[in-house]
Amino acid sequence: MLCQICGLNEANRLYQSTSASGETHSAYLCAACAGGAGSAGSSSGAGAAGNIGGASGFDAEFAKAPFDFDLPAMMSEMLGLRTHRPGGVCPACGLRLEELSKYGRTGCVACYRHFAPALAPYVRRIHGDASHTGRAPAGAAPELARQRRLEELRHELQECIKSQAFERAAVLRDEIAKLQEGGAKP
Amino acid sequence: MSTEAQYHHDIALSTRVRLARNVENLFFPNRMSREMAEEAIISLSAPLLRAAGDGFTLMRLDQGNHLEARALVERHLISPELANSQRTRGVVLSVDERLSIMLCEEDHLRIQSFGSGLCLENCLREALRIDDLIGGAVAYAFDEHLGFLTACPTNLGTGLRASVMLHLPALTEAGLMRDIVAAVGKMGLAARGLYGEGSEAYGALYQMSNQITLGQNEEEIIGHVSNVALRVVDRERTLRARIKKSQTYEYEDRVWRAMGILKHARRLPGEEGMRLLSDLRWGVSMGDLDLPLSLLDELLEGIQPGVLTLGAMRPLRAAERDIARANYVRERLQGLH
């Protein structure tokens, strides 16, 4: 079966963890997601694994797994992905998560935003934790900043509407309009 | 230093730099309708066709010209994926065939620059010139952290694939290629046979290229590929010298036998042709035969089935191709040496 976090790779085993309240959670994960999730505490994980010296078979395999990751948090991230994005379909090009998983190809720029949680471990497995350091298209930087600011403002506007902070919402609406107008100019 | 020595032409046949690019507001080719792809091909080729100097021509590959497409694949000017795709697609070629810009392959643009010998810097410079030319006319899909956005995440970041084609007959003869492939793999490069499927490498020709495209800048990537390629070139060169010294008669017989057969054969199957031309190139690169290396590189491409058939201007059966191949090689070697 496919990994329950990224939906891209074949899950290689069932991972389990126990929360502070004593509740046990389990999920089928691929190595990349399990490794990525454990990366924050991977050194302690390795140390703990080392303490189980002499374990064999399944136990030894399990000991190798980073078992100090927060599975409930990962599960909620996974559920969040499904709640907010019904069907896991890119809103722009219509690519489904299953297609991305099967062919390993995105369909448009928006796929990278929409499927970001699913793509992150995959990208990390190929390229490591690296960020782009090469060239950028001419004039990309100001436009990038404008797009990002617009996204922030739109998000804040939604929050204000929800909490009925209409005065602040009006200010934000004007600011968004101004920024959009600025982008439309040559 | 001669140009051939400077570019290590005795061992490095050619270099290719490829940049993958997409346009921000268009779906990637795998999600495009035929109409969208038609429009993209026209708008993306326009800045190139307008540019003076390179003599660019646009070739559509979805109009039944399978043989032309196959010949371009055999000459490494386009990818098999572009040739075999069912989608609307095309390629813009410069008149000297040093630039090939594939349109609507896996990404909207695959800018490719080629050169003889090991010349990554020159190829990168040329590819970036074309990148600027097109990038000045369209907005590229780009993310601050992920770099240039590509259909496949393996190309994210610089979208740069730097490849060097190496002729490694001595390492192949000594049975060391498996180790070499593994060693360059550990250094982040992929190595594979240039012709032939899987691990088969006809003519002892190998391609080595970077695997990681994100996290290093363009100069760092080509610097690394160059360094690794040069280490392989050094090993091949050392081994060639050792074989020539310790197995002089075997080596000389092999080179001259190849020359004899290629100059006189009336039928030349493809695999045998690759092997003999490889032996001949080995002899030429050691200075034992007075032929230009560029002729050998031309022949290695010219004997491929699609290129031969295209030259004959009619369909050829396998047996007819063997005759055409022998004729072609004989004619090119006539009067030489």
Side-chain angles (χ1 to χ4, degrees):
Chain A
M1 73 181 290
L2 288 176
C3 169
Q4 289 182 274
I5 293 291
C6 66
L8 286 171
N9 308 316
E10 197 64 31
N12 59 354
R13 87 172 68 89
L14 180 71
Y15 286 84
Q16 290 183 316
S17 84
T18 307
S19 67
S21 60
E23 206 177 339
T24 302
H25 300 268
S26 59
Y28 286 95
L29 305 181
C30 68
C33 285
S39 62
S42 57
S43 56
S44 64
N51 293 338
I52 312 179
S56 62
F58 174 82
D59 288 340
E61 277 300 301
F62 189 71
K64 280 183 210 156
F67 52 78
D68 57 343
F69 62 84
D70 186 0
L71 191 55
M74 289 167 75
M75 293 294 280
S76 63
E77 184 189 0
M78 179 184 87
L79 289 169
L81 184 75
R82 295 203 174 145
T83 329
H84 295 306
R85 300 166 181 130
V89 176
C90 172
C93 73
L95 184 81
R96 285 177 291 122
L97 186 58
E98 299 86 67
E99 292 173 291
L100 177 61
S101 153
K102 192 172 173 188
Y103 301 111
R105 303 286 185 277
T106 55
C108 68
V109 173
C111 284
Y112 276 99
R113 285 195 293 273
H114 184 75
F115 297 121
L119 279 167
Y122 184 51
V123 172
R124 197 162 49 230
R125 201 180 55 185
I126 304 166
H127 300 287
D129 272 327
S131 252
H132 181 58
T133 56
R135 66 176 0 220
E143 178 55 22
L144 263 179
R146 191 182 73 87
Q147 291 291 348
R148 292 209 170 134
R149 180 73 187 134
L150 264 175
E151 273 174 35
E152 282 169 15
L153 290 173
R154 283 188 188 125
H155 181 73
E156 200 185 334
L157 178 64
Q158 288 304 318
E159 293 298 313
C160 287
I161 291 168
K162 266 189 222 163
S163 60
Q164 301 191 343
F166 296 118
E167 273 182 40
R168 174 69 185 149
V171 173
L172 288 170
R173 188 198 55 209
D174 293 347
E175 206 173 323
I176 288 169
K178 212 164 142 187
L179 209 53
Q180 279 175 328
E181 206 176 306
K185 281 176 191 168
Chain B
M1 192 187 275
S2 76
T3 314
E4 276 189 357
Q6 186 188 348
Y7 295 116
H8 305 275
H9 201 187
D10 55 335
I11 291 163
L13 271 84
S14 59
T15 299
R16 179 180 61 192
V17 161
R18 177 270 269 165
L19 298 171
R21 298 285 187 261
N22 284 290
V23 179
E24 190 177 49
N25 57 0
L26 294 177
F27 293 166
F28 296 160
N30 62 342
R31 304 297 292 173
M32 279 178 144
S33 66
R34 201 158 279 276
E35 293 72 29
M36 284 174 179
E38 291 276 356
E39 277 181 35
I41 287 174
I42 293 167
S43 66
L44 293 173
S45 60
L48 295 167
L49 299 175
R50 273 200 305 269
D54 293 303
F56 284 118
T57 50
L58 169 65
M59 183 178 163
R60 293 290 297 263
L61 292 169
D62 47 334
Q63 295 169 346
N65 41 0
H66 306 297
L67 190 56
E68 283 92 335
R70 173 150 186 197
L72 290 175
V73 172
E74 288 172 355
R75 297 172 59 216
H76 304 286
L77 288 168
I78 65 170
S79 64
E81 291 74 22
L82 189 79
N84 301 331
S85 163
Q86 298 300 310
R87 293 198 295 259
T88 303
R89 64 214 191 275
V91 60
V92 174
L93 289 166
S94 67
V95 70
D96 61 3
E97 296 188 337
R98 283 176 170 266
L99 292 163
S100 155
I101 298 96
M102 296 193 281
L103 303 170
C104 294
E105 199 234 34
E106 186 177 286
D107 296 300
H108 293 138
L109 290 157
R110 289 281 176 99
I111 301 167
Q112 302 187 101
S113 165
F114 310 94
S116 284
L118 179 58
C119 56
L120 283 159
E121 282 182 20
N122 295 349
C123 287
L124 177 63
R125 195 180 317 119
E126 276 299 284
L128 292 179
R129 180 173 70 83
I130 301 303
D131 187 32
D132 288 339
L133 188 67
I134 304 173
V138 299
Y140 282 144
F142 182 79
D143 175 271
E144 203 177 350
H145 299 293
L146 295 176
F148 289 96
L149 298 177
T150 49
C152 181
T154 51
N155 295 314
L156 284 169
T158 53
L160 168 66
R161 193 79 60 203
S163 315
V164 183
M165 270 52 82
L166 301 177
H167 182 219
L168 306 172
L171 287 166
T172 304
E173 181 69 17
L176 290 172
M177 275 318 296
R178 192 183 289 267
D179 294 345
I180 295 284
V181 169
V184 303
K186 281 184 188 156
M187 291 186 273
L189 263 64
R192 64 173 186 86
L194 189 57
Y195 292 101
E197 297 292 320
S199 57
E200 289 261 25
Y202 296 130
L205 297 171
Y206 295 85
Q207 173 179 297
M208 298 192 180
S209 53
N210 62 304
Q211 287 180 298
I212 288 179
T213 53
L214 179 68
Q216 292 179 314
N217 68 31
E218 290 78 2
E219 285 73 20
E220 286 167 338
I221 291 173
I222 64 158
H224 183 61
V225 172
S226 192
N227 284 340
V228 175
L230 281 173
R231 286 168 73 168
V232 177
V233 164
D234 272 349
R235 282 201 68 180
E236 168 72 17
R237 207 175 272 148
T238 308
L239 203 52
R240 282 185 188 187
R242 198 183 302 160
I243 290 175
K244 188 177 170 180
K245 200 173 167 191
S246 63
Q247 301 168 47
T248 313
Y249 284 108
E250 288 90 338
Y251 156 76
E252 284 188 351
D253 180 64
R254 188 167 162 170
V255 170
W256 284 102
R257 186 178 289 273
M259 183 66 160
I261 296 172
L262 290 169
K263 278 186 93 166
H264 299 288
R266 263 39 186 179
R267 285 194 308 114
L268 189 60
E271 210 175 313
E272 187 186 3
M274 291 295 286
R275 185 169 49 77
L276 295 172
L277 283 173
S278 167
D279 288 348
L280 197 58
R281 194 184 194 281
W282 187 357
V284 172
S285 71
M286 300 294 283
D288 296 323
L289 286 163
D290 190 20
L291 293 174
L293 276 170
S294 56
L295 172 65
L296 269 299
D297 297 352
E298 199 183 308
L299 290 175
L300 282 163
E301 270 185 12
I303 65 163
Q304 300 305 317
V307 180
L308 275 177
T309 310
L310 192 64
M313 312 235 283
R314 69 181 177 89
L316 295 176
R317 293 197 307 272
E320 291 178 314
R321 265 204 310 271
D322 291 350
I323 296 170
R325 185 177 290 115
N327 289 345
Y328 163 73
V329 175
R330 256 195 351 267
E331 280 165 22
R332 297 305 311 269
L333 292 177
Q334 205 172 30
L336 292 171
H337 200 86

